[in-house]
Amino acid sequence: STLLASSAASDVYKRQPVNSVEEAAKAAEQLWNVVFDYDIETKRPFIVSYDETNKIWLIKGSMRELKGGGVPYALITIDGKVLAIWHTR
């Protein structure tokens, strides 16, 4: 997997509190659409989990078909800070 940092993503992403599964998925989708050069819709449904202890959301895409290519991931804090974005192969 590769960790990515993108000034383009930070220009598009408006940091705001992330208080629900829906908000976490929306924030990740905004980031992924800028960072990754393909139709992110192909990675739905998004799988969202929350670490209550550290107050961090983990959002990952899924694969509808077993064609390879991997899925995107994002770690976002409850206050909206993006900790990491990466994609598996």
Side-chain angles (χ1 to χ4, degrees):
S1 65
T2 304
L3 183 65
L4 300 173
S6 170
S7 61
S10 62
D11 290 343
V12 170
Y13 178 73
K14 304 293 186 230
R15 182 174 170 174
Q16 56 189 1
V18 179
N19 296 311
S20 69
V21 168
E22 294 80 11
E23 290 174 1
K26 182 178 178 182
E29 183 176 18
Q30 288 175 344
L31 292 163
W32 293 336
N33 277 326
V34 173
V35 173
F36 302 119
D37 188 26
Y38 67 86
D39 182 9
I40 206 68
E41 289 295 316
T42 63
K43 300 304 178 183
R44 287 187 178 276
F46 303 145
I47 301 163
V48 181
S49 58
Y50 183 66
D51 178 340
E52 183 72 40
T53 302
N54 295 300
K55 302 194 182 317
I56 297 172
W57 294 96
L58 169 65
I59 310 95
K60 68 178 185 172
S62 58
M63 294 176 60
R64 292 186 203 166
E65 301 173 13
L66 297 176
K67 294 196 299 188
V71 296
Y73 286 79
L75 288 173
I76 304 173
T77 64
I78 196 167
D79 68 352
K81 180 179 180 182
V82 178
L83 299 178
I85 304 169
W86 71 97
H87 199 290
T88 58
R89 294 180 185 199

Coordinates of all heavy atoms in Angstrom, one line a residue:
S1 N 0.8 -1.2 0.0 CA 0.0 0.0 0.0 C 0.9 1.2 0.0 O 2.0 1.2 0.4 CB -0.9 0.0 1.2 OG -0.2 0.1 2.4
T2 N 0.3 2.3 -0.5 CA 1.1 3.6 -0.6 C 0.3 4.7 0.2 O -0.9 4.8 0.0 CB 1.2 4.0 -2.0 OG1 1.8 2.9 -2.8 CG2 2.0 5.2 -2.2
L3 N 1.0 5.4 1.0 CA 0.5 6.5 1.8 C 0.6 7.7 0.9 O 1.7 8.0 0.3 CB 1.2 6.7 3.1 CG 0.7 7.8 4.0 CD1 -0.7 7.5 4.5 CD2 1.6 8.0 5.2
L4 N -0.5 8.5 0.7 CA -0.5 9.6 -0.2 C -0.8 10.9 0.6 O -1.6 11.0 1.5 CB -1.5 9.5 -1.3 CG -1.4 8.3 -2.2 CD1 -2.6 8.1 -3.1 CD2 -0.1 8.4 -3.0
A5 N -0.1 12.0 0.2 CA -0.4 13.3 0.7 C -0.6 14.1 -0.6 O 0.1 14.0 -1.5 CB 0.8 13.9 1.5
S6 N -1.6 15.0 -0.5 CA -2.0 15.8 -1.7 C -2.4 17.1 -1.3 O -3.4 17.3 -0.6 CB -3.1 15.0 -2.5 OG -3.6 15.9 -3.5
S7 N -1.8 18.2 -1.9 CA -2.2 19.5 -1.6 C -3.6 19.8 -2.3 O -4.4 20.5 -1.8 CB -1.2 20.5 -2.1 OG -1.0 20.4 -3.5
A8 N -3.8 19.1 -3.4 CA -5.1 19.2 -4.1 C -6.2 18.7 -3.2 O -7.3 19.3 -3.1 CB -5.1 18.4 -5.4
A9 N -6.0 17.6 -2.5 CA -7.0 17.1 -1.6 C -7.3 18.1 -0.5 O -8.4 18.3 -0.1 CB -6.6 15.8 -1.0
S10 N -6.2 18.7 0.1 CA -6.4 19.6 1.2 C -7.1 20.9 0.7 O -7.8 21.6 1.5 CB -5.1 20.0 1.9 OG -4.2 20.6 1.0
D11 N -7.0 21.2 -0.6 CA -7.7 22.4 -1.1 C -9.2 22.1 -1.3 O -10.0 23.0 -1.1 CB -7.1 22.8 -2.5 CG -5.7 23.3 -2.5 OD1 -5.3 23.8 -1.4 OD2 -5.1 23.4 -3.5
V12 N -9.6 20.9 -1.5 CA -11.0 20.5 -1.7 C -11.6 20.2 -0.4 O -12.8 20.6 -0.2 CB -11.1 19.4 -2.7 CG1 -12.5 18.8 -2.7 CG2 -10.6 19.8 -4.1
Y13 N -10.9 19.5 0.4 CA -11.5 19.0 1.7 C -11.6 20.1 2.7 O -10.6 20.8 3.0 CB -10.6 17.9 2.3 CG -11.1 17.3 3.6 CD1 -12.2 16.5 3.6 CD2 -10.4 17.6 4.8 CE1 -12.6 16.0 4.8 CE2 -10.8 17.1 6.0 CZ -11.9 16.3 6.0 OH -12.4 15.8 7.2
K14 N -12.8 20.3 3.2 CA -13.1 21.3 4.2 C -13.2 20.7 5.5 O -14.1 19.9 5.8 CB -14.4 22.1 3.9 CG -14.4 22.7 2.5 CD -13.4 23.9 2.4 CE -13.5 24.6 1.1 NZ -12.3 24.7 0.4
R15 N -12.1 20.9 6.4 CA -12.1 20.2 7.7 C -13.3 20.6 8.5 O -13.5 21.8 8.7 CB -10.8 20.5 8.4 CG -10.6 19.8 9.7 CD -9.3 20.0 10.3 NE -9.2 19.5 11.6 CZ -8.1 19.5 12.3 NH1 -7.0 19.9 11.8 NH2 -8.1 19.1 13.6
Q16 N -14.0 19.7 9.0 CA -15.1 19.9 9.9 C -15.4 18.7 10.7 O -14.9 17.6 10.4 CB -16.4 20.3 9.1 CG -16.8 19.3 8.1 CD -17.9 19.8 7.2 OE1 -18.4 20.9 7.3 NE2 -18.3 19.0 6.2
P17 N -16.1 18.8 11.8 CA -16.3 17.6 12.7 C -17.0 16.5 11.9 O -17.8 16.7 11.0 CB -17.2 18.1 13.8 CG -16.9 19.6 13.8 CD -16.6 20.0 12.4
V18 N -16.6 15.2 12.2 CA -17.1 14.0 11.6 C -17.8 13.2 12.7 O -17.1 12.6 13.5 CB -16.0 13.2 10.9 CG1 -16.6 12.0 10.3 CG2 -15.3 14.1 9.9
N19 N -19.1 13.3 12.8 CA -19.8 12.8 13.9 C -20.7 11.6 13.6 O -21.4 11.1 14.5 CB -20.7 13.9 14.5 CG -19.9 15.0 15.1 OD1 -18.9 14.7 15.9 ND2 -20.2 16.2 14.8
S20 N -20.7 11.1 12.4 CA -21.5 9.9 12.0 C -20.8 9.1 10.9 O -19.9 9.6 10.2 CB -22.9 10.4 11.5 OG -22.8 11.1 10.3
V21 N -21.4 7.9 10.7 CA -20.9 7.1 9.7 C -21.1 7.7 8.3 O -20.2 7.7 7.5 CB -21.7 5.7 9.7 CG1 -21.4 4.9 8.4 CG2 -21.3 4.9 10.9
E22 N -22.2 8.4 8.1 CA -22.5 9.1 6.8 C -21.5 10.2 6.6 O -21.0 10.4 5.5 CB -23.9 9.6 6.8 CG -25.0 8.5 6.8 CD -25.3 8.0 8.2 OE1 -24.8 8.5 9.3 OE2 -25.9 6.9 8.3
E23 N -21.2 11.0 7.6 CA -20.2 12.1 7.5 C -18.8 11.6 7.2 O -18.1 12.2 6.4 CB -20.2 13.0 8.7 CG -21.5 13.8 8.9 CD -21.5 14.6 10.2 OE1 -20.6 14.5 11.0 OE2 -22.6 15.2 10.4
A24 N -18.4 10.5 7.8 CA -17.1 9.9 7.6 C -17.0 9.4 6.1 O -16.0 9.7 5.5 CB -16.9 8.7 8.6
A25 N -18.0 8.7 5.6 CA -18.0 8.2 4.3 C -18.0 9.4 3.3 O -17.2 9.3 2.3 CB -19.2 7.4 4.0
K26 N -18.7 10.4 3.5 CA -18.7 11.6 2.6 C -17.4 12.3 2.6 O -16.9 12.7 1.5 CB -19.8 12.6 3.1 CG -19.9 13.8 2.2 CD -21.0 14.7 2.6 CE -21.1 15.9 1.7 NZ -22.1 16.8 2.1
A27 N -16.7 12.4 3.8 CA -15.4 13.1 3.8 C -14.4 12.3 3.1 O -13.6 12.8 2.3 CB -15.0 13.3 5.3
A28 N -14.4 10.9 3.3 CA -13.4 10.1 2.6 C -13.7 10.1 1.1 O -12.7 10.2 0.3 CB -13.6 8.7 3.1
E29 N -14.9 10.1 0.7 CA -15.2 10.1 -0.8 C -14.7 11.4 -1.4 O -14.1 11.4 -2.5 CB -16.7 10.0 -1.0 CG -17.1 10.0 -2.5 CD -18.6 9.7 -2.6 OE1 -19.4 9.9 -1.7 OE2 -19.0 9.3 -3.8
Q30 N -14.9 12.6 -0.7 CA -14.4 13.8 -1.2 C -12.8 13.8 -1.5 O -12.3 14.2 -2.5 CB -14.7 15.0 -0.3 CG -16.1 15.4 -0.2 CD -16.4 16.4 0.8 OE1 -15.6 16.7 1.7 NE2 -17.5 17.1 0.7
L31 N -12.2 13.2 -0.5 CA -10.7 13.1 -0.6 C -10.3 12.1 -1.7 O -9.4 12.4 -2.5 CB -10.1 12.6 0.7 CG -10.2 13.6 1.9 CD1 -10.0 12.9 3.2 CD2 -9.2 14.7 1.7
W32 N -10.9 11.0 -1.7 CA -10.5 10.0 -2.7 C -10.8 10.4 -4.1 O -10.0 10.2 -5.1 CB -11.3 8.7 -2.5 CG -11.0 8.0 -1.2 CD1 -9.8 8.0 -0.5 CD2 -11.8 7.1 -0.5 NE1 -9.9 7.2 0.6 CE2 -11.1 6.6 0.6 CE3 -13.1 6.6 -0.7 CZ2 -11.6 5.7 1.5 CZ3 -13.6 5.7 0.2 CH2 -12.9 5.2 1.3
N33 N -11.9 11.2 -4.4 CA -12.2 11.7 -5.7 C -11.1 12.6 -6.2 O -10.8 12.7 -7.4 CB -13.5 12.4 -5.7 CG -14.7 11.5 -5.9 OD1 -14.6 10.4 -6.5 ND2 -15.8 11.8 -5.2
V34 N -10.4 13.3 -5.3 CA -9.3 14.2 -5.8 C -8.0 13.4 -5.9 O -7.2 13.6 -6.9 CB -9.1 15.4 -4.7 CG1 -7.9 16.2 -5.1 CG2 -10.4 16.2 -4.7
V35 N -7.7 12.6 -5.0 CA -6.4 11.9 -4.9 C -6.3 10.8 -5.9 O -5.2 10.6 -6.5 CB -6.1 11.4 -3.5 CG1 -4.9 10.6 -3.4 CG2 -6.1 12.5 -2.5
F36 N -7.3 10.0 -6.1 CA -7.2 8.8 -7.0 C -7.8 9.0 -8.3 O -8.9 9.6 -8.4 CB -7.8 7.6 -6.3 CG -7.2 7.3 -4.9 CD1 -7.9 7.3 -3.8 CD2 -5.8 7.0 -4.9 CE1 -7.3 7.0 -2.6 CE2 -5.2 6.7 -3.6 CZ -6.0 6.8 -2.5
D37 N -7.2 8.6 -9.4 CA -7.6 8.9 -10.7 C -8.4 7.8 -11.3 O -8.1 7.2 -12.3 CB -6.3 9.1 -11.6 CG -6.6 9.6 -12.9 OD1 -7.6 10.3 -13.1 OD2 -5.8 9.4 -13.9
Y38 N -9.6 7.6 -10.7 CA -10.6 6.7 -11.3 C -11.9 7.0 -10.6 O -12.0 7.7 -9.7 CB -10.2 5.2 -11.1 CG -10.2 4.7 -9.7 CD1 -11.3 4.2 -9.1 CD2 -9.0 4.7 -9.0 CE1 -11.3 3.8 -7.8 CE2 -9.0 4.3 -7.7 CZ -10.2 3.8 -7.1 OH -10.1 3.4 -5.8
D39 N -13.0 6.4 -11.1 CA -14.3 6.6 -10.6 C -14.5 5.9 -9.3 O -14.6 4.6 -9.2 CB -15.4 6.0 -11.6 CG -16.8 6.3 -11.2 OD1 -17.0 7.0 -10.2 OD2 -17.7 5.7 -11.8
I40 N -14.5 6.6 -8.2 CA -14.5 6.1 -6.9 C -15.8 5.3 -6.6 O -15.9 4.5 -5.7 CB -14.3 7.2 -5.8 CG1 -13.7 6.6 -4.5 CG2 -15.5 8.0 -5.5 CD1 -12.3 6.0 -4.7
E41 N -16.9 5.6 -7.4 CA -18.1 4.9 -7.3 C -18.0 3.4 -7.4 O -18.8 2.6 -6.9 CB -19.2 5.4 -8.3 CG -19.6 6.8 -8.0 CD -20.5 6.9 -6.7 OE1 -21.3 6.0 -6.5 OE2 -20.2 7.8 -6.0
T42 N -16.9 3.0 -8.1 CA -16.7 1.5 -8.3 C -16.3 0.9 -7.0 O -16.2 -0.4 -7.0 CB -15.7 1.3 -9.4 OG1 -14.4 1.8 -9.0 CG2 -16.1 1.9 -10.7
K43 N -15.9 1.6 -6.0 CA -15.5 1.1 -4.7 C -16.6 1.1 -3.6 O -16.3 1.0 -2.5 CB -14.2 1.8 -4.2 CG -13.1 1.7 -5.2 CD -12.7 0.3 -5.6 CE -11.6 0.2 -6.6 NZ -11.3 -1.2 -6.9
R44 N -17.8 1.3 -4.0 CA -18.9 1.3 -3.1 C -19.3 -0.2 -2.9 O -19.1 -1.0 -3.8 CB -20.1 2.1 -3.6 CG -19.9 3.5 -3.5 CD -21.1 4.3 -3.9 NE -21.0 5.7 -3.7 CZ -21.1 6.4 -2.6 NH1 -21.4 5.8 -1.5 NH2 -21.0 7.7 -2.6
P45 N -19.9 -0.6 -1.8 CA -20.2 0.3 -0.6 C -18.9 0.6 0.2 O -18.0 -0.2 0.2 CB -21.2 -0.5 0.2 CG -20.8 -1.9 -0.1 CD -20.3 -1.9 -1.6
F46 N -18.9 1.8 0.8 CA -17.8 2.1 1.7 C -18.1 1.5 3.1 O -19.2 1.4 3.6 CB -17.7 3.6 1.9 CG -17.5 4.3 0.6 CD1 -18.1 5.6 0.4 CD2 -16.8 3.8 -0.5 CE1 -17.9 6.3 -0.8 CE2 -16.6 4.4 -1.7 CZ -17.2 5.7 -1.9
I47 N -17.0 1.0 3.7 CA -17.1 0.4 5.0 C -16.5 1.3 6.0 O -15.3 1.7 5.9 CB -16.4 -1.0 5.0 CG1 -17.0 -1.9 3.9 CG2 -16.4 -1.6 6.3 CD1 -16.2 -3.1 3.5
V48 N -17.3 1.7 7.0 CA -16.8 2.7 8.0 C -16.8 2.0 9.4 O -17.8 1.4 9.8 CB -17.8 3.9 8.0 CG1 -17.3 4.9 9.0 CG2 -17.9 4.5 6.6
S49 N -15.7 2.3 10.1 CA -15.7 1.8 11.5 C -15.1 3.0 12.3 O -14.4 3.9 11.8 CB -14.8 0.6 11.7 OG -13.5 0.7 11.2
Y50 N -15.4 2.9 13.6 CA -15.0 4.0 14.5 C -14.2 3.5 15.7 O -14.7 2.5 16.4 CB -16.2 4.8 15.0 CG -15.9 6.0 15.8 CD1 -15.2 7.1 15.3 CD2 -16.2 6.0 17.2 CE1 -14.9 8.1 16.1 CE2 -15.9 7.1 18.0 CZ -15.2 8.2 17.5 OH -14.9 9.2 18.3
D51 N -13.1 4.0 16.0 CA -12.3 3.7 17.2 C -12.6 4.6 18.3 O -12.1 5.8 18.3 CB -10.8 3.7 16.8 CG -9.9 3.4 18.0 OD1 -10.3 3.5 19.2 OD2 -8.7 3.1 17.7
E52 N -13.4 4.2 19.2 CA -13.9 5.1 20.3 C -12.8 5.6 21.2 O -12.8 6.7 21.6 CB -15.0 4.3 21.1 CG -15.6 5.1 22.3 CD -16.6 6.1 21.8 OE1 -17.3 5.9 20.8 OE2 -16.6 7.2 22.3
T53 N -11.8 4.7 21.5 CA -10.7 5.1 22.3 C -9.9 6.3 21.7 O -9.6 7.2 22.4 CB -9.8 3.9 22.6 OG1 -10.5 2.9 23.1 CG2 -8.6 4.3 23.5
N54 N -9.6 6.2 20.5 CA -8.7 7.2 19.8 C -9.5 8.2 19.0 O -8.9 9.2 18.5 CB -7.7 6.5 18.9 CG -6.7 5.7 19.7 OD1 -6.0 6.2 20.5 ND2 -6.7 4.4 19.4
K55 N -10.8 8.0 18.9 CA -11.7 9.0 18.2 C -11.3 9.1 16.8 O -11.1 10.3 16.3 CB -11.8 10.3 19.0 CG -12.4 10.1 20.4 CD -12.8 11.4 21.0 CE -13.3 11.3 22.4 NZ -14.1 10.2 22.7
I56 N -11.1 8.0 16.1 CA -10.7 8.0 14.7 C -11.6 7.1 13.9 O -11.9 6.0 14.3 CB -9.2 7.5 14.6 CG1 -8.2 8.4 15.3 CG2 -8.8 7.3 13.1 CD1 -6.8 7.8 15.4
W57 N -12.0 7.6 12.7 CA -12.8 6.9 11.7 C -11.8 6.2 10.8 O -10.9 6.8 10.3 CB -13.7 7.8 10.9 CG -14.7 8.5 11.7 CD1 -14.7 9.8 12.3 CD2 -16.0 8.0 12.1 NE1 -15.8 10.0 13.0 CE2 -16.7 9.0 12.8 CE3 -16.6 6.8 11.8 CZ2 -17.9 8.8 13.3 CZ3 -17.9 6.6 12.3 CH2 -18.6 7.6 13.1
L58 N -12.1 4.9 10.4 CA -11.4 4.2 9.4 C -12.5 4.0 8.3 O -13.5 3.4 8.6 CB -10.9 2.9 9.8 CG -10.4 1.9 8.7 CD1 -9.2 2.5 8.0 CD2 -10.1 0.5 9.3
I59 N -12.2 4.5 7.1 CA -13.1 4.3 6.0 C -12.4 3.6 4.9 O -11.2 3.9 4.6 CB -13.6 5.7 5.5 CG1 -14.2 6.6 6.6 CG2 -14.7 5.5 4.4 CD1 -13.2 7.5 7.1
K60 N -13.0 2.5 4.3 CA -12.4 1.8 3.2 C -13.4 1.5 2.2 O -14.6 1.4 2.4 CB -11.7 0.6 3.7 CG -12.6 -0.5 4.2 CD -11.8 -1.7 4.6 CE -12.6 -2.9 5.0 NZ -11.9 -4.1 5.2
G61 N -12.9 1.4 0.9 CA -13.8 1.0 -0.2 C -13.9 -0.5 -0.2 O -13.3 -1.2 0.6
S62 N -14.7 -1.0 -1.1 CA -14.9 -2.4 -1.2 C -14.8 -2.8 -2.7 O -14.9 -1.9 -3.6 CB -16.2 -2.9 -0.6 OG -17.3 -2.2 -1.2
M63 N -14.6 -4.0 -3.0 CA -14.5 -4.5 -4.4 C -15.8 -5.3 -4.7 O -16.1 -6.3 -4.1 CB -13.3 -5.3 -4.5 CG -12.0 -4.5 -4.3 SD -10.5 -5.5 -4.4 CE -10.6 -6.2 -6.0
R64 N -16.5 -4.8 -5.7 CA -17.7 -5.5 -6.2 C -17.3 -6.7 -7.0 O -18.0 -7.7 -6.9 CB -18.5 -4.6 -7.1 CG -19.1 -3.4 -6.4 CD -20.0 -2.7 -7.3 NE -20.2 -1.3 -6.9 CZ -20.7 -0.3 -7.6 NH1 -21.1 -0.6 -8.8 NH2 -20.8 0.9 -7.1
E65 N -16.2 -6.7 -7.7 CA -15.8 -7.8 -8.5 C -14.4 -8.1 -8.2 O -13.6 -7.3 -7.7 CB -15.9 -7.4 -10.0 CG -17.2 -7.0 -10.5 CD -17.2 -6.4 -11.9 OE1 -16.2 -6.6 -12.6 OE2 -18.2 -5.8 -12.3
L66 N -14.0 -9.4 -8.3 CA -12.7 -9.8 -8.0 C -11.7 -9.6 -9.2 O -11.1 -10.6 -9.7 CB -12.7 -11.3 -7.5 CG -13.5 -11.5 -6.3 CD1 -13.6 -13.0 -6.0 CD2 -12.9 -10.7 -5.1
K67 N -11.6 -8.4 -9.6 CA -10.7 -8.1 -10.7 C -9.4 -7.5 -10.3 O -8.6 -7.2 -11.1 CB -11.4 -7.1 -11.7 CG -12.7 -7.6 -12.3 CD -13.1 -6.8 -13.5 CE -13.5 -5.4 -13.2 NZ -14.0 -4.7 -14.3
G68 N -9.2 -7.4 -9.0 CA -7.9 -6.8 -8.5 C -8.0 -5.3 -8.5 O -9.1 -4.7 -8.7
G69 N -6.9 -4.7 -8.2 CA -6.9 -3.2 -8.2 C -6.9 -2.6 -6.8 O -6.6 -1.5 -6.6
G70 N -7.3 -3.4 -5.8 CA -7.3 -2.9 -4.4 C -8.4 -1.9 -4.1 O -9.3 -1.6 -4.9
V71 N -8.3 -1.3 -2.9 CA -9.4 -0.4 -2.4 C -8.7 0.8 -1.7 O -7.6 0.7 -1.2 CB -10.4 -1.1 -1.5 CG1 -11.2 -2.1 -2.2 CG2 -9.7 -1.6 -0.3
P72 N -9.4 2.0 -1.7 CA -8.9 3.1 -1.0 C -9.2 3.0 0.5 O -10.2 2.4 0.9 CB -9.7 4.3 -1.6 CG -11.0 3.7 -2.0 CD -10.6 2.2 -2.4
Y73 N -8.4 3.7 1.3 CA -8.6 3.8 2.8 C -8.4 5.2 3.2 O -7.6 6.0 2.5 CB -7.5 2.9 3.5 CG -7.8 1.5 3.5 CD1 -7.4 0.7 2.4 CD2 -8.3 0.8 4.6 CE1 -7.6 -0.7 2.3 CE2 -8.5 -0.6 4.6 CZ -8.1 -1.3 3.4 OH -8.3 -2.7 3.4
A74 N -9.0 5.6 4.3 CA -8.7 6.9 4.9 C -8.9 6.8 6.4 O -9.7 6.0 6.9 CB -9.7 7.9 4.4
L75 N -8.0 7.5 7.1 CA -8.2 7.7 8.6 C -8.4 9.1 8.9 O -7.6 10.0 8.4 CB -6.9 7.3 9.3 CG -6.5 5.8 9.4 CD1 -5.1 5.6 9.9 CD2 -7.6 5.0 10.2
I76 N -9.6 9.4 9.5 CA -10.0 10.8 9.8 C -10.4 10.9 11.3 O -11.2 10.1 11.7 CB -11.1 11.2 8.9 CG1 -10.8 11.0 7.4 CG2 -11.6 12.7 9.2 CD1 -11.9 11.3 6.4
T77 N -9.9 11.9 12.0 CA -10.3 12.1 13.4 C -11.7 12.6 13.5 O -12.2 13.2 12.5 CB -9.3 13.0 14.1 OG1 -9.4 14.3 13.5 CG2 -7.9 12.5 14.0
I78 N -12.2 12.5 14.7 CA -13.6 13.0 14.9 C -13.7 14.6 14.6 O -14.7 15.1 14.3 CB -14.1 12.7 16.3 CG1 -15.6 12.8 16.4 CG2 -13.3 13.4 17.4 CD1 -16.2 12.2 17.6
D79 N -12.5 15.3 14.8 CA -12.6 16.7 14.5 C -12.2 17.0 13.1 O -12.1 18.2 12.7 CB -11.7 17.5 15.5 CG -10.2 17.2 15.3 OD1 -9.8 16.3 14.5 OD2 -9.4 17.9 15.9
G80 N -12.1 16.0 12.2 CA -12.0 16.2 10.8 C -10.6 16.2 10.2 O -10.4 16.4 9.0
K81 N -9.6 16.0 11.1 CA -8.2 16.0 10.6 C -7.9 14.7 9.8 O -8.2 13.6 10.3 CB -7.2 16.1 11.8 CG -5.8 16.1 11.3 CD -4.9 16.2 12.5 CE -3.4 16.2 12.1 NZ -2.5 16.3 13.2
V82 N -7.4 14.8 8.7 CA -7.0 13.6 7.9 C -5.7 13.1 8.3 O -4.7 13.8 8.2 CB -7.0 14.0 6.4 CG1 -6.6 12.7 5.5 CG2 -8.3 14.5 5.9
L83 N -5.6 11.9 8.8 CA -4.4 11.3 9.3 C -3.7 10.6 8.2 O -2.4 10.6 8.1 CB -4.6 10.4 10.5 CG -5.3 11.0 11.7 CD1 -5.5 9.9 12.8 CD2 -4.4 12.1 12.3
A84 N -4.4 9.9 7.3 CA -3.8 9.1 6.2 C -4.8 8.8 5.2 O -6.0 8.7 5.4 CB -3.2 7.8 6.8
I85 N -4.3 8.7 3.9 CA -5.1 8.2 2.8 C -4.1 7.3 2.0 O -3.0 7.6 1.8 CB -5.4 9.4 1.8 CG1 -6.2 10.5 2.5 CG2 -6.3 8.8 0.6 CD1 -6.4 11.7 1.7
W86 N -4.6 6.1 1.7 CA -3.8 5.1 1.0 C -4.7 4.2 0.1 O -5.9 4.2 0.3 CB -2.8 4.4 1.9 CG -3.4 3.3 2.7 CD1 -3.5 2.0 2.5 CD2 -4.0 3.5 4.0 NE1 -4.2 1.3 3.6 CE2 -4.5 2.3 4.5 CE3 -4.2 4.6 4.9 CZ2 -5.1 2.1 5.8 CZ3 -4.9 4.5 6.1 CH2 -5.3 3.2 6.5
H87 N -4.0 3.5 -0.7 CA -4.7 2.6 -1.6 C -4.0 1.3 -1.7 O -2.8 1.3 -1.9 CB -4.9 3.2 -3.0 CG -5.9 2.6 -3.9 ND1 -5.8 1.3 -4.4 CD2 -7.1 3.1 -4.3 CE1 -6.9 1.1 -5.1 NE2 -7.7 2.2 -5.1
T88 N -4.7 0.1 -1.6 CA -4.0 -1.1 -1.7 C -4.0 -1.5 -3.2 O -4.7 -0.9 -4.0 CB -4.7 -2.2 -0.9 OG1 -6.1 -2.3 -1.4 CG2 -4.7 -2.0 0.5
R89 N -3.1 -2.5 -3.5 CA -3.0 -2.9 -4.9 C -3.8 -4.1 -5.3 O -4.2 -4.8 -4.5 CB -1.6 -3.2 -5.2 CG -0.7 -2.0 -5.1 CD 0.7 -2.4 -5.4 NE 1.5 -1.2 -5.2 CZ 2.7 -1.0 -5.7 NH1 3.2 -1.9 -6.4 NH2 3.4 0.1 -5.4

